[in-house]
Amino acid sequence: MKWFRRKQRRIHRRISLIENLRIALRSIRSNKMRTGLTSLGIIIGVATVIAMMSVVGGIDNVVTSEFSRLGADVFFIQKYPAIAITFDWNKYRRRPDLTMEDAHAIQRKARLVDMVSPFVYRWRGDTIRAEGRKTDPDVGIAAATETYLPVTGMNLDGGRNFTPHEVLAGTRVAVVGYDVLDRLFPYGNPVGRFIRVRGDRFRIVGVAERQGAVFGDSRDNFVAIPLGAFTRKWKIRDQLQIHMKAKQDVPVDMAIEEVRAILRIRHKLKLTEADDFEIETRESMMSSYNSLTGSIFIAAIGIAMISLLVGGIGIMNIMLVSVRERTREIGVRKALGARRRDISRQFLIEAVTLSLLGGLIGIGLAVGGLLLVGKFVDSLPITIAASSIVLAVSFSVGTGVFFGVYPARKAAKLDPIEALRYE
């Protein structure tokens, strides 16, 4: 008999839930405009949460992939931080520029460093010409030594690397990226042929492997020349980076401390003074990036929470109006034997349904908008994670429950006689 009664109670609860859902949907259908306006805050909040999580997740994937190219035993020094959240860039500008003498000092004195590779990248583009063709004026010029490829792990698809003699002598040879080759040499082997950079003639000795694009910016649109040839044409100024690779089985932190000590002595820094250069590793850049995106993410979530709060207040307000409009209905149900919890459950389910409906519309808008943006904007990486959908649905249900409790309790506490007399 007990088993039979338990089964009866379960069937009764199921029927009651279905009936309450029908009442809620009927109420929503009968007030479409009011429902739409009430759910607007929930729609905006949920769409914002999904959009931000998808964009930040996509950027995370790209950045993590890019940082992973830098080996765990590789680090580099430059004047400015790779990633910084600051409005005071003057403190970095006042630092002394790194020089080739710094690189040579590290090469001579650092016992824990295997290879040192000074490197300059000229971001201001140039036009490269060859055999009657020319590129757009956006080709980056890189100045490297023979150690740059082994330090950074970059490979060649054809030809060879610079030799130490070519770097020191400033020989006019070049390693080129595929974007330049596609424009200048669409047919045949480019190795051994000549290009013109700022009027100077360089012989191609190597072809760099394809690097792809990051945020729509191609990493194959460059010409690398020996550092000696670069310094004849341009000044290094504050663009010098010094890439280093720690010796095998040497912890990279020990190598970093050794290099830091060498540079501090060269720059005559006191013990109390901070470094006047930046040492970057894969982990330090990832940490800086996480700090930057974490702040943006928290700000976006804060905006989304405000939208959800406004939406929740709207739901509570509309449910209070609904309780007042349906006071006689509540009185009739109570007169027919409905308990307080039955009335409370009815209005709570209606509030959650209203909030969940807004959440589902927000999810649809966010996913549709992101897919549309992803189709037209290749440079914006987007990753729509299932966790963001689950989080959005949870927020919607939670908002409905939180802001639906008070109207539901108010409806449940109505006196049936007073409710039946209500006009």
PDB file of all heavy atoms in Angstrom, residues 77 100 103 117-123 141-145 148 152 154 224 227 236 239-243:
ATOM      1  N   ILE A  77      64.624  39.462 -23.988  1.00  0.00           N
ATOM      2  CA  ILE A  77      64.694  40.747 -23.286  1.00  0.00           C
ATOM      3  C   ILE A  77      64.372  41.847 -24.277  1.00  0.00           C
ATOM      4  O   ILE A  77      64.805  41.814 -25.437  1.00  0.00           O
ATOM      5  CB  ILE A  77      66.104  40.961 -22.695  1.00  0.00           C
ATOM      6  CG1 ILE A  77      66.385  39.923 -21.612  1.00  0.00           C
ATOM      7  CG2 ILE A  77      66.245  42.351 -22.121  1.00  0.00           C
ATOM      8  CD1 ILE A  77      67.778  39.994 -21.064  1.00  0.00           C
ATOM      9  N   MET A 100      73.524  46.381 -29.128  1.00  0.00           N
ATOM     10  CA  MET A 100      74.235  45.156 -29.529  1.00  0.00           C
ATOM     11  C   MET A 100      75.322  44.812 -28.521  1.00  0.00           C
ATOM     12  O   MET A 100      75.662  43.634 -28.357  1.00  0.00           O
ATOM     13  CB  MET A 100      74.856  45.360 -30.926  1.00  0.00           C
ATOM     14  CG  MET A 100      73.849  45.346 -32.055  1.00  0.00           C
ATOM     15  SD  MET A 100      72.936  43.793 -32.129  1.00  0.00           S
ATOM     16  CE  MET A 100      74.247  42.630 -32.464  1.00  0.00           C
ATOM     17  N   ALA A 103      73.894  42.511 -26.016  1.00  0.00           N
ATOM     18  CA  ALA A 103      73.825  41.138 -26.533  1.00  0.00           C
ATOM     19  C   ALA A 103      75.202  40.468 -26.508  1.00  0.00           C
ATOM     20  O   ALA A 103      75.336  39.295 -26.115  1.00  0.00           O
ATOM     21  CB  ALA A 103      73.261  41.143 -27.950  1.00  0.00           C
ATOM     22  N   SER A 117      70.468  35.441 -29.482  1.00  0.00           N
ATOM     23  CA  SER A 117      70.089  35.885 -30.824  1.00  0.00           C
ATOM     24  C   SER A 117      69.472  37.277 -30.787  1.00  0.00           C
ATOM     25  O   SER A 117      68.297  37.446 -30.484  1.00  0.00           O
ATOM     26  CB  SER A 117      69.077  34.900 -31.428  1.00  0.00           C
ATOM     27  OG  SER A 117      68.626  35.381 -32.673  1.00  0.00           O
ATOM     28  N   PRO A 118      70.266  38.313 -31.083  1.00  0.00           N
ATOM     29  CA  PRO A 118      69.676  39.655 -31.209  1.00  0.00           C
ATOM     30  C   PRO A 118      68.768  39.705 -32.439  1.00  0.00           C
ATOM     31  O   PRO A 118      69.083  39.110 -33.476  1.00  0.00           O
ATOM     32  CB  PRO A 118      70.885  40.571 -31.381  1.00  0.00           C
ATOM     33  CG  PRO A 118      72.028  39.689 -31.737  1.00  0.00           C
ATOM     34  CD  PRO A 118      71.722  38.305 -31.296  1.00  0.00           C
ATOM     35  N   PHE A 119      67.658  40.400 -32.288  1.00  0.00           N
ATOM     36  CA  PHE A 119      66.642  40.377 -33.345  1.00  0.00           C
ATOM     37  C   PHE A 119      65.937  41.722 -33.397  1.00  0.00           C
ATOM     38  O   PHE A 119      65.633  42.324 -32.362  1.00  0.00           O
ATOM     39  CB  PHE A 119      65.626  39.265 -33.029  1.00  0.00           C
ATOM     40  CG  PHE A 119      64.464  39.189 -33.978  1.00  0.00           C
ATOM     41  CD1 PHE A 119      64.592  38.580 -35.215  1.00  0.00           C
ATOM     42  CD2 PHE A 119      63.231  39.725 -33.627  1.00  0.00           C
ATOM     43  CE1 PHE A 119      63.521  38.498 -36.086  1.00  0.00           C
ATOM     44  CE2 PHE A 119      62.151  39.659 -34.490  1.00  0.00           C
ATOM     45  CZ  PHE A 119      62.303  39.037 -35.722  1.00  0.00           C
ATOM     46  N   VAL A 120      65.691  42.204 -34.615  1.00  0.00           N
ATOM     47  CA  VAL A 120      64.966  43.469 -34.799  1.00  0.00           C
ATOM     48  C   VAL A 120      63.868  43.234 -35.827  1.00  0.00           C
ATOM     49  O   VAL A 120      64.107  42.582 -36.858  1.00  0.00           O
ATOM     50  CB  VAL A 120      65.911  44.590 -35.305  1.00  0.00           C
ATOM     51  CG1 VAL A 120      65.120  45.877 -35.533  1.00  0.00           C
ATOM     52  CG2 VAL A 120      67.025  44.838 -34.306  1.00  0.00           C
ATOM     53  N   TYR A 121      62.695  43.744 -35.533  1.00  0.00           N
ATOM     54  CA  TYR A 121      61.612  43.651 -36.520  1.00  0.00           C
ATOM     55  C   TYR A 121      61.092  45.049 -36.804  1.00  0.00           C
ATOM     56  O   TYR A 121      60.675  45.766 -35.897  1.00  0.00           O
ATOM     57  CB  TYR A 121      60.473  42.766 -36.004  1.00  0.00           C
ATOM     58  CG  TYR A 121      59.484  42.412 -37.090  1.00  0.00           C
ATOM     59  CD1 TYR A 121      59.723  41.316 -37.911  1.00  0.00           C
ATOM     60  CD2 TYR A 121      58.345  43.175 -37.316  1.00  0.00           C
ATOM     61  CE1 TYR A 121      58.844  40.982 -38.932  1.00  0.00           C
ATOM     62  CE2 TYR A 121      57.464  42.853 -38.327  1.00  0.00           C
ATOM     63  CZ  TYR A 121      57.710  41.755 -39.136  1.00  0.00           C
ATOM     64  OH  TYR A 121      56.835  41.430 -40.139  1.00  0.00           O
ATOM     65  N   ARG A 122      61.152  45.420 -38.045  1.00  0.00           N
ATOM     66  CA  ARG A 122      60.700  46.752 -38.444  1.00  0.00           C
ATOM     67  C   ARG A 122      59.243  46.668 -38.853  1.00  0.00           C
ATOM     68  O   ARG A 122      58.917  46.172 -39.935  1.00  0.00           O
ATOM     69  CB  ARG A 122      61.578  47.254 -39.607  1.00  0.00           C
ATOM     70  CG  ARG A 122      61.419  48.720 -39.904  1.00  0.00           C
ATOM     71  CD  ARG A 122      62.501  49.179 -40.890  1.00  0.00           C
ATOM     72  NE  ARG A 122      62.374  50.600 -41.136  1.00  0.00           N
ATOM     73  CZ  ARG A 122      61.575  51.117 -42.057  1.00  0.00           C
ATOM     74  NH1 ARG A 122      60.850  50.316 -42.801  1.00  0.00           N
ATOM     75  NH2 ARG A 122      61.495  52.418 -42.235  1.00  0.00           N
ATOM     76  N   TRP A 123      58.352  47.118 -37.950  1.00  0.00           N
ATOM     77  CA  TRP A 123      56.918  46.986 -38.182  1.00  0.00           C
ATOM     78  C   TRP A 123      56.425  47.875 -39.316  1.00  0.00           C
ATOM     79  O   TRP A 123      55.456  47.543 -39.982  1.00  0.00           O
ATOM     80  CB  TRP A 123      56.155  47.326 -36.889  1.00  0.00           C
ATOM     81  CG  TRP A 123      56.401  46.314 -35.821  1.00  0.00           C
ATOM     82  CD1 TRP A 123      57.287  46.400 -34.805  1.00  0.00           C
ATOM     83  CD2 TRP A 123      55.770  45.033 -35.687  1.00  0.00           C
ATOM     84  NE1 TRP A 123      57.260  45.262 -34.025  1.00  0.00           N
ATOM     85  CE2 TRP A 123      56.320  44.412 -34.560  1.00  0.00           C
ATOM     86  CE3 TRP A 123      54.791  44.360 -36.414  1.00  0.00           C
ATOM     87  CZ2 TRP A 123      55.932  43.147 -34.135  1.00  0.00           C
ATOM     88  CZ3 TRP A 123      54.397  43.102 -36.002  1.00  0.00           C
ATOM     89  CH2 TRP A 123      54.964  42.512 -34.876  1.00  0.00           C
ATOM     90  N   ILE A 141      60.300  44.034 -42.253  1.00  0.00           N
ATOM     91  CA  ILE A 141      61.713  43.689 -42.443  1.00  0.00           C
ATOM     92  C   ILE A 141      62.268  43.207 -41.109  1.00  0.00           C
ATOM     93  O   ILE A 141      62.230  43.937 -40.113  1.00  0.00           O
ATOM     94  CB  ILE A 141      62.534  44.905 -42.942  1.00  0.00           C
ATOM     95  CG1 ILE A 141      61.895  45.505 -44.203  1.00  0.00           C
ATOM     96  CG2 ILE A 141      63.981  44.496 -43.206  1.00  0.00           C
ATOM     97  CD1 ILE A 141      61.856  44.591 -45.391  1.00  0.00           C
ATOM     98  N   ALA A 142      62.738  41.961 -41.095  1.00  0.00           N
ATOM     99  CA  ALA A 142      63.321  41.391 -39.878  1.00  0.00           C
ATOM    100  C   ALA A 142      64.827  41.316 -40.034  1.00  0.00           C
ATOM    101  O   ALA A 142      65.328  41.000 -41.113  1.00  0.00           O
ATOM    102  CB  ALA A 142      62.752  40.000 -39.625  1.00  0.00           C
ATOM    103  N   ALA A 143      65.521  41.646 -38.948  1.00  0.00           N
ATOM    104  CA  ALA A 143      66.979  41.535 -38.946  1.00  0.00           C
ATOM    105  C   ALA A 143      67.355  40.471 -37.920  1.00  0.00           C
ATOM    106  O   ALA A 143      66.977  40.576 -36.753  1.00  0.00           O
ATOM    107  CB  ALA A 143      67.608  42.877 -38.575  1.00  0.00           C
ATOM    108  N   ALA A 144      68.044  39.443 -38.370  1.00  0.00           N
ATOM    109  CA  ALA A 144      68.326  38.310 -37.485  1.00  0.00           C
ATOM    110  C   ALA A 144      69.757  37.831 -37.656  1.00  0.00           C
ATOM    111  O   ALA A 144      70.467  38.254 -38.578  1.00  0.00           O
ATOM    112  CB  ALA A 144      67.347  37.172 -37.782  1.00  0.00           C
ATOM    113  N   THR A 145      70.138  36.941 -36.776  1.00  0.00           N
ATOM    114  CA  THR A 145      71.448  36.297 -36.874  1.00  0.00           C
ATOM    115  C   THR A 145      71.245  34.822 -37.215  1.00  0.00           C
ATOM    116  O   THR A 145      70.115  34.347 -37.290  1.00  0.00           O
ATOM    117  CB  THR A 145      72.213  36.429 -35.543  1.00  0.00           C
ATOM    118  OG1 THR A 145      71.490  35.695 -34.550  1.00  0.00           O
ATOM    119  CG2 THR A 145      72.335  37.879 -35.116  1.00  0.00           C
ATOM    120  N   TYR A 148      68.895  32.735 -34.802  1.00  0.00           N
ATOM    121  CA  TYR A 148      67.476  33.021 -34.556  1.00  0.00           C
ATOM    122  C   TYR A 148      66.587  31.802 -34.819  1.00  0.00           C
ATOM    123  O   TYR A 148      65.707  31.487 -34.014  1.00  0.00           O
ATOM    124  CB  TYR A 148      67.012  34.192 -35.420  1.00  0.00           C
ATOM    125  CG  TYR A 148      65.588  34.597 -35.111  1.00  0.00           C
ATOM    126  CD1 TYR A 148      65.272  35.248 -33.925  1.00  0.00           C
ATOM    127  CD2 TYR A 148      64.552  34.285 -35.984  1.00  0.00           C
ATOM    128  CE1 TYR A 148      63.966  35.595 -33.624  1.00  0.00           C
ATOM    129  CE2 TYR A 148      63.239  34.635 -35.686  1.00  0.00           C
ATOM    130  CZ  TYR A 148      62.962  35.286 -34.508  1.00  0.00           C
ATOM    131  OH  TYR A 148      61.666  35.616 -34.194  1.00  0.00           O
ATOM    132  N   THR A 152      64.296  30.088 -31.798  1.00  0.00           N
ATOM    133  CA  THR A 152      62.840  30.213 -31.810  1.00  0.00           C
ATOM    134  C   THR A 152      62.135  28.948 -32.288  1.00  0.00           C
ATOM    135  O   THR A 152      60.915  28.834 -32.154  1.00  0.00           O
ATOM    136  CB  THR A 152      62.425  31.375 -32.728  1.00  0.00           C
ATOM    137  OG1 THR A 152      62.935  31.137 -34.048  1.00  0.00           O
ATOM    138  CG2 THR A 152      62.954  32.689 -32.199  1.00  0.00           C
ATOM    139  N   MET A 154      61.854  28.026 -35.373  1.00  0.00           N
ATOM    140  CA  MET A 154      61.277  28.207 -36.710  1.00  0.00           C
ATOM    141  C   MET A 154      62.087  27.381 -37.708  1.00  0.00           C
ATOM    142  O   MET A 154      63.298  27.222 -37.566  1.00  0.00           O
ATOM    143  CB  MET A 154      61.310  29.693 -37.086  1.00  0.00           C
ATOM    144  CG  MET A 154      60.584  30.006 -38.376  1.00  0.00           C
ATOM    145  SD  MET A 154      60.765  31.739 -38.880  1.00  0.00           S
ATOM    146  CE  MET A 154      59.827  32.548 -37.605  1.00  0.00           C
ATOM    147  N   ALA A 224      63.496  38.553 -44.107  1.00  0.00           N
ATOM    148  CA  ALA A 224      64.542  38.560 -43.061  1.00  0.00           C
ATOM    149  C   ALA A 224      65.900  38.731 -43.722  1.00  0.00           C
ATOM    150  O   ALA A 224      66.207  38.050 -44.707  1.00  0.00           O
ATOM    151  CB  ALA A 224      64.503  37.263 -42.270  1.00  0.00           C
ATOM    152  N   LEU A 227      71.583  40.846 -39.671  1.00  0.00           N
ATOM    153  CA  LEU A 227      71.574  42.031 -38.817  1.00  0.00           C
ATOM    154  C   LEU A 227      72.584  43.078 -39.307  1.00  0.00           C
ATOM    155  O   LEU A 227      72.334  44.284 -39.249  1.00  0.00           O
ATOM    156  CB  LEU A 227      71.886  41.612 -37.378  1.00  0.00           C
ATOM    157  CG  LEU A 227      71.598  42.622 -36.288  1.00  0.00           C
ATOM    158  CD1 LEU A 227      70.159  43.100 -36.326  1.00  0.00           C
ATOM    159  CD2 LEU A 227      71.916  42.036 -34.919  1.00  0.00           C
ATOM    160  N   ILE A 236      68.745  50.885 -35.188  1.00  0.00           N
ATOM    161  CA  ILE A 236      68.016  49.913 -34.372  1.00  0.00           C
ATOM    162  C   ILE A 236      67.108  50.623 -33.372  1.00  0.00           C
ATOM    163  O   ILE A 236      65.976  50.219 -33.121  1.00  0.00           O
ATOM    164  CB  ILE A 236      69.006  48.995 -33.620  1.00  0.00           C
ATOM    165  CG1 ILE A 236      69.753  48.103 -34.620  1.00  0.00           C
ATOM    166  CG2 ILE A 236      68.276  48.143 -32.605  1.00  0.00           C
ATOM    167  CD1 ILE A 236      70.786  47.215 -33.983  1.00  0.00           C
ATOM    168  N   GLN A 239      64.192  49.044 -30.881  1.00  0.00           N
ATOM    169  CA  GLN A 239      63.500  47.867 -31.408  1.00  0.00           C
ATOM    170  C   GLN A 239      64.228  46.558 -31.154  1.00  0.00           C
ATOM    171  O   GLN A 239      63.754  45.497 -31.538  1.00  0.00           O
ATOM    172  CB  GLN A 239      63.310  48.035 -32.918  1.00  0.00           C
ATOM    173  CG  GLN A 239      62.549  49.287 -33.308  1.00  0.00           C
ATOM    174  CD  GLN A 239      62.589  49.496 -34.816  1.00  0.00           C
ATOM    175  OE1 GLN A 239      61.920  48.816 -35.570  1.00  0.00           O
ATOM    176  NE2 GLN A 239      63.397  50.441 -35.249  1.00  0.00           N
ATOM    177  N   LEU A 240      65.396  46.635 -30.506  1.00  0.00           N
ATOM    178  CA  LEU A 240      66.192  45.413 -30.344  1.00  0.00           C
ATOM    179  C   LEU A 240      65.590  44.476 -29.296  1.00  0.00           C
ATOM    180  O   LEU A 240      65.255  44.888 -28.187  1.00  0.00           O
ATOM    181  CB  LEU A 240      67.623  45.778 -29.941  1.00  0.00           C
ATOM    182  CG  LEU A 240      68.578  44.592 -29.792  1.00  0.00           C
ATOM    183  CD1 LEU A 240      68.818  43.904 -31.132  1.00  0.00           C
ATOM    184  CD2 LEU A 240      69.912  45.022 -29.174  1.00  0.00           C
ATOM    185  N   GLN A 241      65.457  43.228 -29.677  1.00  0.00           N
ATOM    186  CA  GLN A 241      65.122  42.151 -28.740  1.00  0.00           C
ATOM    187  C   GLN A 241      66.321  41.205 -28.691  1.00  0.00           C
ATOM    188  O   GLN A 241      66.981  40.993 -29.701  1.00  0.00           O
ATOM    189  CB  GLN A 241      63.902  41.364 -29.216  1.00  0.00           C
ATOM    190  CG  GLN A 241      62.603  42.149 -29.268  1.00  0.00           C
ATOM    191  CD  GLN A 241      61.467  41.279 -29.793  1.00  0.00           C
ATOM    192  OE1 GLN A 241      61.677  40.211 -30.363  1.00  0.00           O
ATOM    193  NE2 GLN A 241      60.254  41.744 -29.588  1.00  0.00           N
ATOM    194  N   ILE A 242      66.551  40.638 -27.522  1.00  0.00           N
ATOM    195  CA  ILE A 242      67.634  39.656 -27.400  1.00  0.00           C
ATOM    196  C   ILE A 242      67.001  38.338 -26.972  1.00  0.00           C
ATOM    197  O   ILE A 242      66.542  38.202 -25.833  1.00  0.00           O
ATOM    198  CB  ILE A 242      68.695  40.111 -26.383  1.00  0.00           C
ATOM    199  CG1 ILE A 242      69.222  41.502 -26.758  1.00  0.00           C
ATOM    200  CG2 ILE A 242      69.838  39.115 -26.335  1.00  0.00           C
ATOM    201  CD1 ILE A 242      70.158  42.102 -25.710  1.00  0.00           C
ATOM    202  N   HIS A 243      66.950  37.394 -27.895  1.00  0.00           N
ATOM    203  CA  HIS A 243      66.369  36.082 -27.605  1.00  0.00           C
ATOM    204  C   HIS A 243      67.466  35.147 -27.111  1.00  0.00           C
ATOM    205  O   HIS A 243      68.580  35.154 -27.641  1.00  0.00           O
ATOM    206  CB  HIS A 243      65.716  35.490 -28.858  1.00  0.00           C
ATOM    207  CG  HIS A 243      64.489  36.243 -29.284  1.00  0.00           C
ATOM    208  ND1 HIS A 243      63.233  35.692 -29.246  1.00  0.00           N
ATOM    209  CD2 HIS A 243      64.325  37.506 -29.738  1.00  0.00           C
ATOM    210  CE1 HIS A 243      62.347  36.583 -29.658  1.00  0.00           C
ATOM    211  NE2 HIS A 243      62.998  37.700 -29.976  1.00  0.00           N
TER     212      HIS A 243
END
